[in-house]
Amino acid sequence: MDKIAVKALAKINLGLDVVRRREDGYHEVRMIMQTIHLYDRLEIRKQRERTVTLHTNLSFLPVDEHNLAYRAAAMLQEEFALTEGVAIDLKKHIPVAAGMAGGSTDAAAVLYGMNEIFDLGLSRKDLMERGVKLGADVPYCLMRGTALAEGIGEKLTSLPPMVKCPVLIAKPQIGVSTKYVYEHLNLSDQSAHPDIDRLITDIRKKDLNAIAGDMGNILETVTVPLHPEIDKIKQCMCEHGALNAMMSGSGPTVFGLYEKIEDARKAADAVRATGLARQIYVTDIYNNRRK
């Protein structure tokens, strides 16, 4: 095999709680991670030169070691002393810096793809162990599906598949610093902590209404006051049929869960009409796991 095409799928957080701030500056979290059917496309192919080259459809993205996909390729090339290089063509569709693990899922796709074309013989567990060196979300992006993430996000427990339903994604044209959000988080506000265990119970019962009702993201307490448009998008989604709407990760992307695809499409038109978001997608829950 000389080349492979891989889909790098985005994630949302159905629940995101921060348990404590560690002495090393990292934060311990409990999150419900969920893959959705919104993805970047990567073509990875061997090349004779022992180099990594990366091309993207977005001119502002780095194509060197500042890109996680590039670093993933370079890491495997060095570890296995590969005599050939790789050329990576990355077509971005997942919003950038959006709280949807776009960079991490691209890195996961490169790890998976290089393992295939170079026949490295690595299991999914092997790939996940290497992925955490690149970022806390990379192991989950290799795993996919519905999962509880703990520690700094690298301790993963598979959960029963989330109920399939339409999902509306809307990213406002603002940037959010994840570092800033975590640094300014007030963990003493007990009312802001979502009940992750109850959410897991809802998922096990496949009760979509209960899942939507119990969704929560403690990071909203920092990001939403800074960017009120996030709350306006949430309100617009709920006014147009969403069972609930919430910010994903540290933001600024908002997602809404719907019972019917028609309602999600109408809500997408309503959000678009507000002018609050330019990147708007109607997609759905994706539960297939990599083997």
Side-chain angles (χ1 to χ4, degrees), residues 145-201:
T146 312
L148 169 66
E150 297 176 288
I152 61 170
E154 87 289 4
K155 297 177 182 176
L156 298 169
T157 304
S158 294
L159 296 174
M162 163 70 178
V163 182
K164 286 278 279 186
C165 68
V167 181
L168 174 58
I169 301 292
K171 180 186 180 287
Q173 293 298 102
I174 55 175
V176 173
S177 165
T178 300
K179 184 173 183 287
Y180 178 93
V181 172
Y182 275 94
E183 285 178 348
H184 290 79
L185 182 62
N186 177 15
L187 294 179
S188 63
D189 183 1
Q190 293 303 311
S191 64
H193 290 269
D195 191 333
I196 299 298
D197 290 326
R198 188 165 66 187
L199 192 51
I200 292 172
T201 298

Side-chain angles (χ1 to χ4, degrees), residues 78-89:
E78 181 179 355
E79 178 183 354
F80 290 91
L82 301 177
T83 57
E84 295 173 292
V86 288
I88 303 167
D89 183 34

Side-chain angles (χ1 to χ4, degrees), residues 31-277:
M31 305 184 292
I32 306 296
M33 312 279 273
Q34 177 59 55
T35 313
I36 59 172
H37 206 194
L38 173 64
Y39 52 85
D40 296 337
R41 291 180 179 272
L42 293 92
E43 183 178 278
I44 306 161
R45 64 183 185 277
K46 294 178 182 177
Q47 59 181 6
R48 290 184 180 180
E49 299 81 10
R50 195 180 177 276
T51 57
V52 175
T53 56
L54 174 62
H55 299 280
T56 81
N57 59 324
L58 299 180
S59 60
F60 60 85
L61 282 182
V63 291
D64 54 14
E65 64 274 3
H66 295 98
N67 189 300
L68 283 180
Y70 180 102
R71 286 169 55 193
M75 182 176 70
L76 288 185
Q77 186 183 54
E78 181 179 355
E79 178 183 354
F80 290 91
L82 301 177
T83 57
E84 295 173 292
V86 288
I88 303 167
D89 183 34
L90 169 58
K91 296 265 190 316
K92 287 292 294 182
H93 300 286
I94 301 170
V96 177
M100 303 184 74
S104 294
T105 194
D106 292 341
V110 170
L111 294 177
Y112 175 85
M114 285 187 65
N115 186 47
E116 294 293 308
I117 63 174
F118 287 102
D119 197 20
L120 302 180
L122 299 172
S123 66
R124 187 179 70 179
K125 183 183 177 195
D126 294 333
L127 292 173
M128 290 168 68
E129 288 172 352
R130 286 158 176 80
V132 75
K133 298 174 185 177
L134 298 165
D137 283 343
V138 178
Y140 168 73
C141 293
L142 283 157
M143 178 180 179
R144 295 179 173 177
T146 312
L148 169 66
E150 297 176 288
I152 61 170
E154 87 289 4
K155 297 177 182 176
L156 298 169
T157 304
S158 294
L159 296 174
M162 163 70 178
V163 182
K164 286 278 279 186
C165 68
V167 181
L168 174 58
I169 301 292
K171 180 186 180 287
Q173 293 298 102
I174 55 175
V176 173
S177 165
T178 300
K179 184 173 183 287
Y180 178 93
V181 172
Y182 275 94
E183 285 178 348
H184 290 79
L185 182 62
N186 177 15
L187 294 179
S188 63
D189 183 1
Q190 293 303 311
S191 64
H193 290 269
D195 191 333
I196 299 298
D197 290 326
R198 188 165 66 187
L199 192 51
I200 292 172
T201 298
D202 298 338
I203 291 169
R204 292 188 188 281
K205 291 180 178 179
K206 298 193 178 300
D207 187 334
L208 182 57
N209 282 281
I211 292 167
D214 288 332
M215 292 192 318
N217 181 350
I218 194 173
L219 300 185
E220 286 190 341
T221 60
V222 180
T223 308
V224 172
L226 289 172
H227 302 289
E229 54 265 59
I230 293 173
D231 204 38
K232 291 177 181 177
I233 294 172
K234 289 172 58 179
Q235 290 174 15
C236 183
M237 287 185 181
C238 290
E239 288 169 1
H240 291 83
L243 298 174
N244 201 356
M246 193 174 80
M247 184 181 80
S248 184
S250 57
T253 299
V254 177
F255 70 91
L257 302 185
Y258 292 79
E259 287 186 302
K260 298 179 181 178
I261 189 71
E262 296 83 3
D263 292 340
R265 288 173 178 155
K266 289 178 183 177
D269 291 338
V271 173
R272 193 173 289 110
T274 67
L276 294 170

